Amino acid sequence: ADLPDWMLLHFQLDPEKGWASPQVLSDGLARKLERQLGNEVLLANDTSPRHRLLKELSDKFDVKQTHKLWIEQEIADPSDGIFSVPVYAEAGNTMTVAPPARVIENTMKALPPTDAAALQQPAGVQPPPGYQDADRNFRTRGADADLNDRKKAFERATKDGQSGQYPMTNSARGVTPTPAPASAPPPSPAIATPFGGAAPGAKPKALKEQAEPRAAGRQMVELDGVKAKAAPVERAPAVQVGPIRPQWLAAEDGSTYLVLVRAARLETKTVFQGVVLDWAKLKDELLEDVKLSFPEAQLQPVYDGEESTERRMAAIPARLDPGPSPPPPPVGWTPLRWGLSLGWGTALFALAAIWFGGRALIDLSERRIRFVSAVTHELRTPLTSLRLYLDLLTSGMIEDEEKQKEYLRTLHGESDRLNRLIENVLDFARLEKRTVQTHIAPTTVDSLLETARTTWADRCATDGKELVVIGTVPVDQTVNTDARVAGQILCNLIDNARKYTVGAADPRIWVWAKPGDGKRIILEVEDRGPGVPLAERATIFRPFRRGSSADTTAGGAGLGLALAKQWAEMLGGRLSYRVADGGVGACFRLELPIA
């Protein structure tokens, strides 16, 4: 058979014959086999290294001393279970290694009542003649013998006057003894002793007849009244083997051998059988199996007398040294710290999002409240003016025609103001609902400027402002836009400039038309007022957002610039803010695509 390369030699230590091996043949036997069988015999296991190893064992380890040492080990540390074997410390002196009590207890539970009671029979009761030979005969037949047949044979063996039940020699293994055949002649009472012993003065021939079974020829046996010839029974040696134990053999020269040894009882002799292992190859193979988990592991032998450790292996006397401990994790950013940082960052981001969301919701609520308040104020002011001037005109108190015309112009302005406010609110509602419809078409820039001049020149003059419209683009330059929406954007920008520049040193308001980057035309509304503070530039285009000084310098609901920006985006343009030329005032830039 193919064996692992770390199994060097199978051996047997016999106290009489010494060291031997089934893999090492004597020269005479090897030549005889080759001469008789020729090419049919395979002697591949009979190698020179095995011859040398067997000779080393014979030279370094004395047979008697090694045998005695292993006997003492068996007695000191008996096997636990049915593998316990009696060992012979010296010739004729048996030292039985008793099995544990639980094994006997389990054996009694497994036996029938009659056989189980035999374990409890007093030691003074003697066995019937031929009992010992019958027990040997049964061991050769094993479990094939029927229990009822054995019980009947046992009863026939005791009918000659012997009564009671007898101890069983193999009770530790749960084996029920079988009595001798019925036809076996009983020995002479003068020489019959318990368990085949000899009485003083017994003749050697009688002793031999009692000790050895009669195996020659066929004998007549009677079972249940039927006589039949029984087959000759040959006695087989009683063999018992124990478990394999790993251990180290240390020679006087310091060399060591790793062996697996078991005790074997052969009739009245105890031998030891085992295997010599190549520790270097076995160690390399075991370390290769754990290389992935322990790349720097080592196996160290554990000799007799050393204290066992938690890392001692169960199958061989060696302990595992896993090698140096892995270095501690670096102090820097480890995966754990990255994970914790990511978790804390996510938590902080969520808290910040909640805070900003809550703040935005509160701010929206406040702006809506301010919007309602501003709209209420803006509606009340023109309505109050309208009622006042109408009452004066209708009561007849104003008879001067110039005064009447002035009052009528005031009524027209207030009604127009009221109309713009309502239109802004309605337009914002339409934008929120996405219901605003635009009609994009090519429109000349001059037409947009003329509409702005016509609509706002007089209004600005009424407030002491001068509207200046300047175009630096070709007369026929067109843009792709909705003229009504674009005009409304310019109106909102001019109206804001008119309202927020009250008291400015320069009363002019400029409306510029400039060429852009080749794809857009730029329309700017510029004034010389206070401008937009830096902190408010990012929020002036939001709905319901008004400047900090809006309540004192101008009215409004905070929708003009928000509507203008959304309208510009609907037209494909862009609305932005910059500081006016010279660093004084505000300039709002509207960019529209060229047709």
Side-chain angles (χ1 to χ4, degrees):
D2 292 333
L3 300 176
D5 57 355
W6 45 266
M7 296 182 67
L8 299 179
L9 178 70
H10 289 74
F11 67 85
Q12 176 170 296
L13 177 63
D14 191 310
E16 298 174 358
K17 299 179 181 180
W19 294 91
S21 172
Q23 297 172 317
V24 176
L25 303 181
S26 63
D27 294 340
L29 179 57
R31 287 193 299 270
K32 183 177 180 180
L33 289 173
E34 291 176 347
R35 184 173 60 254
Q36 293 183 356
L37 301 178
N39 295 332
E40 296 181 4
V41 63
L42 296 177
L43 302 180
N45 283 332
D46 188 16
T47 61
S48 298
R50 288 179 174 143
H51 278 263
R52 290 195 297 269
L53 182 56
L54 182 62
K55 188 174 186 308
E56 289 180 11
L57 295 177
S58 301
D59 295 341
K60 295 182 179 181
F61 300 99
D62 182 74
V63 174
K64 298 296 184 182
Q65 292 182 358
T66 306
H67 187 271
K68 181 179 179 182
L69 174 63
W70 284 348
I71 287 289
E72 291 175 352
Q73 291 178 355
E74 283 291 328
I75 296 173
D77 185 17
S79 304
D80 186 12
I82 63 174
F83 294 104
S84 299
V85 297
V87 295
Y88 290 83
E90 297 178 0
N93 183 13
T94 304
M95 302 185 67
T96 303
V97 182
R102 65 175 180 274
V103 178
I104 299 178
E105 180 181 357
N106 295 336
T107 303
M108 294 178 62
K109 292 180 180 179
L111 294 176
T114 304
D115 295 333
L119 294 175
Q120 305 175 359
Q121 182 67 25
V125 181
Q126 305 299 326
Y131 175 84
Q132 206 169 34
D133 292 339
D135 182 41
R136 293 194 188 99
N137 295 339
F138 167 69
R139 288 199 299 269
T140 63
R141 293 182 289 132
D144 294 334
D146 182 74
L147 179 63
N148 293 329
D149 292 344
R150 288 188 276 116
K151 290 173 62 177
K152 293 178 181 179
F154 188 85
E155 293 172 0
R156 287 195 297 271
T158 58
K159 66 183 179 179
D160 292 334
Q162 299 287 347
S163 62
Q165 310 205 356
Y166 303 95
M168 298 185 296
T169 59
N170 278 343
S171 60
R173 296 184 297 164
V175 179
T176 306
T178 304
S183 59
S188 172
I191 61 175
T193 59
F195 297 94
K203 296 181 180 181
K205 182 177 180 181
L207 289 175
K208 183 178 181 180
E209 289 180 355
Q210 179 180 350
E212 300 292 338
R214 298 190 179 185
R218 295 180 178 271
Q219 301 178 1
M220 297 297 295
V221 296
E222 181 178 354
L223 296 175
D224 297 334
V226 179
K227 291 185 178 181
K229 289 185 177 181
V233 179
E234 296 182 359
R235 181 171 63 92
V239 178
Q240 290 175 288
V241 295
I244 294 178
R245 303 172 185 265
Q247 60 180 286
W248 290 93
L249 282 180
E252 294 181 355
D253 60 357
S255 58
T256 57
Y257 299 85
L258 177 60
V259 296
L260 305 177
V261 184
R262 71 177 182 185
R265 176 185 175 184
L266 308 176
E267 288 292 341
T268 60
K269 179 170 61 176
T270 298
V271 299
F272 290 91
Q273 302 168 341
V275 185
V276 181
L277 306 181
D278 188 334
W279 169 239
K281 293 182 178 179
L282 178 60
K283 178 175 66 174
D284 293 341
E285 186 168 333
L286 293 175
L287 291 178
E288 185 66 25
D289 291 340
V290 298
K291 185 176 181 179
L292 294 178
S293 301
F294 305 100
E296 300 183 15
Q298 295 293 330
L299 281 175
Q300 301 174 354
V302 177
Y303 300 107
D304 293 341
E306 294 187 18
E307 296 182 0
S308 61
T309 63
E310 296 180 356
R311 296 173 180 170
R312 180 166 181 170
M313 304 180 67
I316 58 174
R319 61 173 171 265
L320 176 65
D321 182 6
S325 302
V331 182
W333 285 97
T334 61
L336 178 59
R337 291 188 177 183
W338 276 111
L340 290 175
S341 300
L342 183 61
W344 278 108
T346 304
L348 293 176
F349 178 78
L351 291 175
I354 294 173
W355 184 80
F356 280 109
R359 183 174 180 179
L361 182 61
I362 295 174
D363 182 62
L364 178 62
S365 300
E366 292 178 351
R367 285 189 284 116
R368 289 182 181 275
I369 292 173
R370 287 197 301 268
F371 168 73
V372 173
S373 176
V375 169
T376 304
H377 174 72
E378 288 295 316
L379 290 175
R380 183 183 294 114
T381 301
L383 287 176
T384 302
S385 300
L386 288 174
R387 291 185 60 184
L388 175 62
Y389 286 107
L390 286 174
D391 288 343
L392 291 174
L393 291 175
T394 57
S395 63
M397 295 177 61
I398 307 299
E399 297 178 354
D400 188 2
E401 293 184 1
E402 292 297 331
K403 284 288 185 181
Q404 291 179 357
K405 291 180 180 180
E406 181 183 352
Y407 288 172
L408 289 174
R409 286 194 298 269
T410 303
L411 290 174
H412 182 269
E414 292 297 329
S415 63
D416 186 60
R417 176 183 175 186
L418 182 60
N419 180 67
R420 288 198 308 273
L421 176 62
I422 295 174
E423 286 294 331
N424 283 341
V425 174
L426 294 178
D427 288 337
F428 182 77
R430 295 190 193 101
L431 286 174
E432 289 290 320
K433 296 180 180 179
R434 308 295 181 184
T435 58
V436 177
Q437 296 181 357
T438 59
H439 302 281
I440 306 297
T443 304
T444 62
V445 177
D446 282 347
S447 64
L448 294 177
L449 296 178
E450 186 61 29
T451 302
R453 181 187 298 110
T454 303
T455 306
W456 287 97
D458 293 339
R459 296 179 184 178
C460 290
T462 303
D463 295 333
K465 301 295 180 183
E466 180 184 357
L467 182 64
V468 181
V469 179
I470 303 175
T472 60
V473 296
V475 178
D476 57 349
Q477 180 67 56
T478 60
V479 290
N480 202 31
T481 186
D482 188 331
R484 183 188 65 84
V485 177
Q488 188 66 34
I489 296 175
L490 290 176
C491 288
N492 283 0
L493 296 178
I494 296 172
D495 187 35
N496 280 349
R498 180 182 63 84
K499 291 189 299 184
Y500 286 96
T501 58
V502 176
D506 190 346
R508 289 176 296 179
I509 299 175
W510 285 273
V511 178
W512 299 87
K514 304 176 181 180
D517 56 0
K519 297 181 181 180
R520 298 174 184 269
I521 292 296
I522 299 175
L523 301 175
E524 291 183 344
V525 177
E526 186 177 353
D527 61 59
R528 291 295 182 264
V532 179
L534 181 62
E536 299 177 1
R537 292 175 187 175
T539 60
I540 57 175
F541 293 105
R542 295 180 183 176
F544 316 123
R545 180 73 66 180
R546 304 173 68 201
S548 57
S549 61
D551 293 334
T552 58
T553 60
L559 292 177
L561 290 178
L563 288 172
K565 186 174 182 62
Q566 294 189 44
W567 282 332
E569 293 174 353
M570 290 174 55
L571 298 176
R574 181 169 59 236
L575 180 63
S576 60
Y577 168 83
R578 70 177 179 86
V579 179
D581 295 336
V584 177
C587 180
F588 289 89
R589 172 180 291 188
L590 172 64
E591 301 179 25
L592 296 176
I594 296 176

